[in-house]
Amino acid sequence: MTEFELIARFFTRPSRERQGVGDDCALIDVGGRTLAMTCDMLIERRHFFADVDPESLGHKALAVNLSDLAAAGATPRCFLLALALPRADERWLEAFAAGMFGLAEQFGCELIGGDTTRSPEWNQTSGPLTICITALGDVVPGPALSRAGARPGDDLWVSGTLGDAALALAFAAGAAAETDDRDACMARLERPTPRVRLGEQLRGLATAAIDVSDGLLGDLTHIGERSQVGARLRWADVPLSPALRRQSAALQQRCALAGGDDYELLFSAPPEKRPQVLAAGQLAGINVTRIGEIVAGRSIVVLDAGGGNMETPFSGFDHFKA
Ligand code: ADP
Ligand code: MG
């Protein structure tokens, strides 16, 4: 059973709300307005190493949630923080809070509550440290962005560059690196920038959107499923950082097509909106690149530089796949 089969089978029921399980955010209508809500958990040894810089961890725990709000085109409003801590270490807590509030203040997003417990000791080890944030955002009048709505003929776009966070993990596992490349990729892994401003700009413009957290192909599959479409992607057009360009073709493909933790926005928009999409990127201060198009049917094809079908033995990250 995959993670998504599990969610579909046990936790998906008909929803009375504007949008229930299955997208980056749930959407609920409250007093004539729409609120976007999302919840993401980070667990020690699963999502981060025990010795990770606590300031970065505080930043990332909130950033991954704001990234889901960005995918809905929502404006961050407030969040709840649930913590299971192995111990109360003042210096650690100070740094964690500084990282988290640093990002929160950048987006005017207020911590409004949460829960704090001590995680258990077991087999002479304590933990795991677990951080779960629930974030709420405002959707200004007009439709939110969702994974559904992509239409055949739409362009497929992505923000920033892809694969750097996965490359940081490859470096950590022993791949040879220049120091600058290692630092740049580690920053992408540990302190991702949620594309909130871009998401806001894309409302009314993008036909579908998702944040790339589980790898480009995996997340594109989610758009395909929710929109009932396929996609054609041109590998040569996928934006890569200088650090990733210095790697072998095989590593480039693995990191950019299947690596997780990028937190860029992947979205579709009609070809006649190209100037507006480019303007949206400029206003948000992030490059946006056209990497392919939405097609009829359900297959996702990656074309190589010569226009032939590229073999892609990758799929998105899944917590439960064998
Ligand atoms: P994302 O990567 O955007 O955070 P996920 O892939 O984690 O989204 O989750 C896919 C969808 O399933 C989302 O709509 C999420 O809210 C929902 N979901 C995940 N776990 C559960 C759960 N235990 N109960 C209900 N819904 C869930
Ligand atoms: Mg998401």
Side-chain angles (χ1 to χ4, degrees):
M1 185 163 33
T2 69
E3 176 185 342
F4 302 105
E5 285 164 358
L6 185 159
I7 296 167
R9 180 164 156 205
F10 297 103
F11 301 119
T12 307
R13 299 271 168 97
S15 175
R16 274 169 297 152
E17 303 298 344
R18 181 174 286 269
Q19 182 166 276
V21 172
D23 218 293
D24 292 285
C25 286
L27 299 172
I28 65 168
D29 291 334
V30 193
R33 311 177 52 145
T34 302
L35 271 182
M37 307 175 70
T38 181
C39 168
D40 259 301
M41 181 154 60
L42 296 183
I43 303 186
E44 179 184 337
R45 292 191 290 263
R46 169 70 53 195
H47 298 97
F48 59 88
F49 305 114
D51 61 353
V52 72
D53 167 38
E55 214 259 337
S56 299
L57 188 60
H59 172 103
K60 182 164 180 174
L62 182 59
V64 300
N65 281 276
L66 298 191
S67 178
D68 278 325
L69 292 182
T75 301
R77 169 132 169 208
C78 51
F79 65 104
L80 298 148
L81 169 68
L83 279 176
L85 296 168
R87 68 195 74 81
D89 176 332
E90 279 178 48
R91 284 178 56 187
W92 189 96
L93 285 163
E94 202 153 317
F96 176 83
M100 185 183 69
F101 283 120
L103 184 66
E105 277 154 25
Q106 205 179 315
F107 291 106
C109 187
E110 189 183 317
L111 177 60
I112 54 162
D115 192 28
T116 305
T117 66
R118 186 167 187 162
S119 50
E121 281 152 44
W122 200 19
N123 281 348
Q124 262 100 52
T125 55
S126 54
L129 169 61
T130 303
I131 308 155
C132 182
I133 289 182
T134 300
L136 286 79
D138 286 308
V139 180
V140 306
L145 299 176
S146 83
R147 296 175 182 181
R151 289 179 296 245
D154 283 352
D155 292 326
L156 193 60
W157 296 80
V158 74
S159 64
T161 59
L162 294 177
D164 297 320
L167 182 55
L169 290 178
F171 287 155
E178 301 183 13
T179 308
D180 288 354
D181 287 354
R182 187 187 299 273
D183 292 349
C185 291
M186 197 45 89
R188 292 285 321 260
L189 175 68
E190 292 192 338
R191 298 184 62 92
T193 306
R195 303 300 181 196
V196 169
R197 296 299 170 232
L198 180 62
E200 291 170 335
Q201 293 295 328
L202 290 176
R203 283 186 325 98
L205 206 54
T207 48
I210 188 170
D211 68 320
V212 183
S213 56
D214 294 340
L216 175 61
L217 291 181
D219 287 315
L220 183 52
T221 303
H222 292 315
I223 287 191
E225 281 164 0
R226 297 280 287 183
S227 298
Q228 296 290 305
V229 294
R232 198 164 44 220
L233 214 138
R234 289 179 300 275
W235 167 245
D237 292 344
V238 174
L240 307 181
S241 69
L244 189 50
R245 286 199 184 284
R246 277 190 271 278
Q247 302 303 316
S248 69
L251 190 57
Q252 287 182 14
Q253 288 171 17
R254 180 161 65 79
C255 290
L257 294 176
D261 269 2
D262 288 316
Y263 301 104
E264 296 296 346
L265 291 186
L266 172 69
F267 58 97
S268 56
E272 58 272 20
K273 302 280 193 201
R274 282 175 196 169
Q276 288 97 313
V277 171
L278 290 169
Q282 263 183 347
L283 275 171
I286 182 71
N287 267 338
V288 288
T289 308
R290 206 147 42 80
I291 58 170
E293 48 273 327
I294 300 294
V295 299
R298 292 303 313 283
S299 57
I300 289 174
V301 176
V302 185
L303 302 180
D304 60 25
N309 277 11
M310 203 165 96
E311 287 296 320
T312 52
F314 319 116
S315 56
F317 184 77
D318 187 307
H319 280 289
F320 292 99
K321 208 144 91 183

